[in-house]
Amino acid sequence: MTEKETKKRANLRDVARAAGVSVATVSRVLNTPEAVSKNTRDRVQQAIESLHFVPSAAARAINSGRTRVVGALVPTLDNAIFARFLSALEYELGEFGLSLVVATTAGDPGIEAEKAQRLIDIGAEALIVSGITHSPDFDNLISRTRLPTIATSYYDDGYSLPTIGYDNARASRMALQYLIDAGHRQIAVIHGPADNNDRTRARLSGLLVDMPGLETFKFETKITLEGGATAIQNALSAGTHFTAVMCTSDVLAQGVLFELHRQGMVVPSNVSLVSIDDLPVSGQSVPGITTVHLPVVEMGKKTANAVIRWIEDGIRPDSQLIDVTLKLRQSVAEIT
Amino acid sequence: MTEKETKKRANLRDVARAAGVSVATVSRVLNTPEAVSKNTRDRVQQAIESLHFVPSAAARAINSGRTRVVGALVPTLDNAIFARFLSALEYELGEFGLSLVVATTAGDPGIEAEKAQRLIDIGAEALIVSGITHSPDFDNLISRTRLPTIATSYYDDGYSLPTIGYDNARASRMALQYLIDAGHRQIAVIHGPADNNDRTRARLSGLLVDMPGLETFKFETKITLEGGATAIQNALSAGTHFTAVMCTSDVLAQGVLFELHRQGMVVPSNVSLVSIDDLPVSGQSVPGITTVHLPVVEMGKKTANAVIRWIEDGIRPDSQLIDVTLKLRQSVAEIT
DNA sequence: CAGCCAAATGTAACTAGTTACATAAGTTGA
DNA sequence: TCAACTTATGTAACTAGTTACATTTGGCTG
């Protein structure tokens, strides 16, 4: 193996030397080829090919001040609600030539701060996070770097960062109200961990309706199918009477539905079920689950566009409230 | 608004000037703080704070030659099988200080080549792709740039890039064989688009078992719950007789299961069902679906480690075959 | 108190591009 | 035929860091 073969990547100067031109000319071939005569252009192209030259992204970035990278921090990729959001976000950013770095936090503010630091280290031009509850380290980082950052899945006009999201409390109240209107008064509420999760807390707060005779029984569990199944088992064996189950996310509702099915209970004739998210599965399951539609695809688009305006034109976006609607399906029966 | 406020980010020189030291000293405070006296260090730190100084990632990268970014190209984020893979990949890469840029291709080789180019443009140190079927543009790009690239979800020792994945043909044959062993001879096969998808094609090829009396009826559909539901409707109304359904992915199987349920057919007493993927939902659904477990989390880890060795130590990984196993659950009945 | 060494800091040359400005060559018109 | 202009190319100074090497400073020893 000769010295030459082990040598590192060719740079602009190497190409210029090989083609017998100046670095400026090579740069022109790359960026404004029409400004270079066909003859020289071909010669430079050939040198580029034979040296396997690929321009350094870092060197370009240092000049333009742009990395064209946006970072997103989400609790997990395992819940389709985030995957769908990221999918829309990635697509829309891509339309504007921006790339998306995804970092998962497992819902841990410490990990979030760490990964946010890393995203900044790699030169992310903007950050997208979930919710408005973050660690002091994270808050300091954002205020110190003044990096364009948008909080999603949560609307709060008073927050220090622009928020693009929905009213989580309203979403759960809509679901609850539907149960109430159908005559339900004893309701098991199955929700994810409330610690460090302002979306969950907001959804729980939305259930604090002061109504005589209304009883809710809360069961906390992890947001997985299995978590939903375990929680409804607990609810059933707790001996409390309830005619309906309300889940704070569709993954839980799906787990509940499966477990009820397994136990021989039929939705909605034995128990009613409502939820929040409206993942595709809630439209396909049997019965279809009545759930509050969270427009995460729309949120992804709006977030992407807001980010683009912010980093491209320096216009800090206003917070945006995205409307939610209750999707009526077959999982709720009237209590007569 | 004064000139000063609209000015752009502070750089090393600005900090040095403000602290009354040289750029080298500021750089030392950042990288080897112990080499700087407490006094100067504090002074520099203060200047950094007050100027909101954040070191430029690009300038760092230009010196180190490292961006610490890895790019992954997947067909979609909407299928949990890819989300789970990326999740494991991101986690493992993160342990080594690498960030993951995710790009979706919608299974289109043209988009894949485009996004690969963009990943290279932003300085990705390595690429991870799905399968071994790519556009000529993509192939040229990889061979020209010699960028470390690993093909996943597919094992093929003879491919030009290292592959880390499973034997897709074997996976589907395992599922089929299980049906055959249970006495099934008429089998509806529901699969995703075979165009541009070598995983699907390999899975279909695994079904070409030469066995007297064995009949398979193929139905192509899009890989969504709804796609599965539509396909099984078509299979039922096609008038062909089958005692079992084999799906090439769990999302389809789930759609089939829901639709069969909707039609009042019971799995497995009326129809048996097998699949490939082993998403969590197949363990929770009723009945649990017998499906071939694809170890995507393990694949994510192995891919991450291979990438790290490649870019960190220059050791190009060998292809790795990851074993698949049939996960027995309750969706298959014996034909007697 | 000179001499020596280590610690602290500075100078300037790197990394790999882009680009303003200068210059050379070739074309056109008076 | 020479000024005026266009076109093509080169020179060198930027971008924002890192780092090898040089220099200064201070403490300790003989």
Side-chain angles (χ1 to χ4, degrees):
Chain A
M1 208 174 277
T2 71
E3 178 110 28
K4 191 148 201 180
E5 281 170 332
T6 57
K7 231 193 305 186
K8 60 194 173 307
R9 275 172 55 174
N11 63 26
L12 253 202
R13 264 100 188 159
D14 297 329
V15 174
R17 202 174 317 120
V21 298
S22 72
V23 289
T25 300
V26 181
S27 181
R28 281 186 201 106
V29 170
L30 261 32
N31 301 302
T32 50
E34 68 282 359
V36 180
S37 75
K38 174 143 177 37
N39 207 296
T40 353
R41 208 193 311 145
D42 289 348
R43 212 143 30 86
V44 171
Q45 282 293 5
Q46 224 175 318
I48 286 174
E49 304 272 307
S50 72
L51 291 174
H52 297 281
F53 170 73
V54 186
S56 146
R60 281 209 160 139
I62 212 179
N63 283 290
S64 64
R66 302 280 320 258
T67 56
R68 308 202 71 76
V69 165
V70 171
L73 293 150
V74 291
T76 177
L77 281 171
D78 267 350
N79 187 334
I81 200 79
F82 294 111
R84 286 171 70 76
F85 168 64
L86 289 178
S87 190
L89 188 63
E90 190 268 342
Y91 178 81
E92 203 73 9
L93 289 175
E95 293 291 293
F96 290 86
L98 296 171
S99 296
L100 182 70
V101 189
V102 174
T104 57
T105 66
D108 179 326
I111 297 177
E112 183 180 60
E114 234 174 77
K115 296 225 174 168
Q117 178 64 65
R118 192 172 304 159
L119 290 173
I120 291 171
D121 287 346
I122 65 166
E125 295 186 48
L127 252 40
I128 291 156
V129 295
S130 301
I132 63 169
T133 310
H134 306 284
S135 71
D137 280 356
F138 178 88
D139 290 336
N140 288 339
L141 193 64
I142 300 306
S143 75
R144 201 163 54 78
T145 62
R146 292 172 182 175
L147 194 70
T149 303
I150 295 177
T152 62
S153 307
Y154 198 104
Y155 175 78
D156 180 352
D157 203 19
Y159 186 54
S160 58
L161 298 172
T163 57
I164 297 181
Y166 24 77
D167 181 337
N168 286 279
R170 179 157 183 274
S172 62
R173 194 169 305 123
M174 280 173 82
L176 178 67
Q177 191 61 49
Y178 186 70
L179 287 178
I180 292 171
D181 291 349
H184 296 274
R185 291 297 179 272
Q186 284 83 34
I187 298 167
V189 175
I190 295 177
H191 61 89
D195 268 8
N196 293 326
N197 191 322
D198 45 25
R199 279 90 65 216
T200 296
R201 280 203 306 277
R203 290 178 196 182
L204 289 176
S205 78
L207 303 179
L208 300 173
V209 177
D210 198 13
M211 184 190 184
L214 179 67
E215 288 180 286
T216 57
F217 314 102
K218 298 207 178 72
F219 298 88
E220 179 168 320
T221 185
K222 59 188 200 304
I223 306 180
T224 60
L225 293 170
E226 210 201 325
T230 312
I232 192 68
Q233 274 174 17
N234 292 342
L236 290 170
S237 60
T240 50
H241 176 71
F242 55 90
T243 60
V245 178
M246 141 113 211
C247 294
T248 55
S249 55
D250 274 6
V251 170
L252 293 173
Q254 213 50 232
V256 166
L257 186 62
F258 285 141
E259 182 61 22
L260 289 172
H261 190 171
R262 218 172 281 129
Q263 308 255 341
M265 298 183 75
V266 178
V267 174
S269 41
N270 298 138
V271 213
S272 288
L273 179 61
V274 293
S275 181
I276 301 176
D277 275 356
D278 194 25
L279 297 179
V281 71
S282 292
Q284 288 293 321
S285 64
V286 187
I289 297 175
T290 291
T291 183
V292 179
H293 179 73
L294 301 183
V296 286
V297 170
E298 185 190 346
M299 186 169 77
K301 282 187 190 169
K302 289 197 164 159
T303 303
N305 285 304
V307 159
I308 288 158
R309 266 170 62 90
W310 200 348
I311 65 184
E312 218 89 18
D313 310 324
I315 302 168
R316 183 190 152 113
D318 291 328
S319 285
Q320 288 181 58
L321 177 62
I322 305 177
D323 211 28
V324 297
T325 48
L326 186 67
K327 206 96 182 184
L328 298 181
R329 285 196 268 254
Q330 304 82 38
S331 63
V332 176
E334 300 246 341
I335 294 274
T336 46
Chain B
M1 208 174 280
T2 70
E3 177 111 26
K4 193 147 201 182
E5 281 171 330
T6 57
K7 231 194 301 185
K8 60 193 171 309
R9 273 172 54 174
N11 64 24
L12 252 202
R13 263 101 187 157
D14 298 329
V15 175
R17 202 174 316 119
V21 297
S22 72
V23 288
T25 299
V26 180
S27 181
R28 281 186 201 106
V29 170
L30 261 33
N31 300 301
T32 51
E34 68 282 0
V36 181
S37 74
K38 173 138 179 41
N39 206 295
T40 357
R41 207 191 313 144
D42 290 348
R43 209 143 35 87
V44 171
Q45 283 293 5
Q46 222 175 321
I48 286 175
E49 305 273 307
S50 72
L51 291 174
H52 297 282
F53 169 73
V54 186
S56 147
R60 283 212 159 136
I62 211 178
N63 283 290
S64 65
R66 300 280 321 259
T67 57
R68 309 202 70 78
V69 164
V70 171
L73 294 150
V74 292
T76 177
L77 281 172
D78 267 349
N79 186 333
I81 198 79
F82 293 112
R84 287 170 70 75
F85 169 63
L86 289 178
S87 190
L89 189 63
E90 191 266 341
Y91 178 81
E92 204 73 10
L93 289 174
E95 293 290 292
F96 290 87
L98 296 171
S99 296
L100 182 69
V101 190
V102 175
T104 56
T105 66
D108 180 323
I111 297 177
E112 182 179 60
E114 234 174 78
K115 297 225 174 169
Q117 178 65 64
R118 193 172 302 161
L119 290 174
I120 291 171
D121 287 346
I122 65 166
E125 293 186 49
L127 251 41
I128 291 156
V129 295
S130 301
I132 63 168
T133 310
H134 306 283
S135 71
D137 280 356
F138 178 87
D139 291 337
N140 288 339
L141 193 63
I142 300 306
S143 74
R144 201 163 55 76
T145 61
R146 294 172 181 175
L147 194 69
T149 302
I150 295 178
T152 62
S153 307
Y154 198 102
Y155 175 77
D156 181 351
D157 202 20
Y159 186 54
S160 57
L161 297 171
T163 57
I164 297 181
Y166 24 77
D167 181 337
N168 287 279
R170 179 157 182 274
S172 63
R173 193 169 304 123
M174 280 173 82
L176 178 66
Q177 190 62 50
Y178 185 71
L179 287 178
I180 291 172
D181 291 349
H184 295 275
R185 291 298 179 271
Q186 284 84 36
I187 298 167
V189 175
I190 295 176
H191 61 90
D195 267 10
N196 292 328
N197 191 322
D198 44 26
R199 281 89 65 214
T200 296
R201 281 203 306 278
R203 291 177 195 183
L204 288 176
S205 78
L207 303 178
L208 300 173
V209 177
D210 198 12
M211 184 189 185
L214 180 69
E215 289 180 286
T216 58
F217 315 103
K218 300 207 177 71
F219 299 88
E220 180 167 321
T221 185
K222 58 187 200 302
I223 307 182
T224 60
L225 292 171
E226 210 200 327
T230 312
I232 191 68
Q233 275 175 15
N234 292 341
L236 290 170
S237 60
T240 50
H241 176 70
F242 55 89
T243 61
V245 178
M246 140 112 212
C247 295
T248 55
S249 55
D250 273 6
V251 171
L252 294 174
Q254 213 50 234
V256 167
L257 186 62
F258 286 139
E259 181 60 23
L260 288 172
H261 190 170
R262 218 171 282 131
Q263 309 255 340
M265 297 181 75
V266 178
V267 175
S269 41
N270 299 140
V271 213
S272 290
L273 178 61
V274 293
S275 182
I276 301 178
D277 275 357
D278 194 25
L279 296 179
V281 71
S282 292
Q284 288 293 320
S285 65
V286 187
I289 297 175
T290 292
T291 184
V292 179
H293 179 73
L294 300 183
V296 287
V297 170
E298 185 191 345
M299 186 168 78
K301 283 187 191 170
K302 290 196 163 159
T303 303
N305 285 303
V307 159
I308 288 159
R309 267 169 62 88
W310 200 348
I311 65 185
E312 218 89 17
D313 310 323
I315 302 168
R316 183 190 152 113
D318 291 327
S319 284
Q320 289 180 61
L321 177 63
I322 304 178
D323 212 27
V324 296
T325 47
L326 186 67
K327 205 96 181 183
L328 298 182
R329 286 196 267 253
Q330 303 82 38
S331 63
V332 176
E334 300 246 341
I335 295 273
T336 45

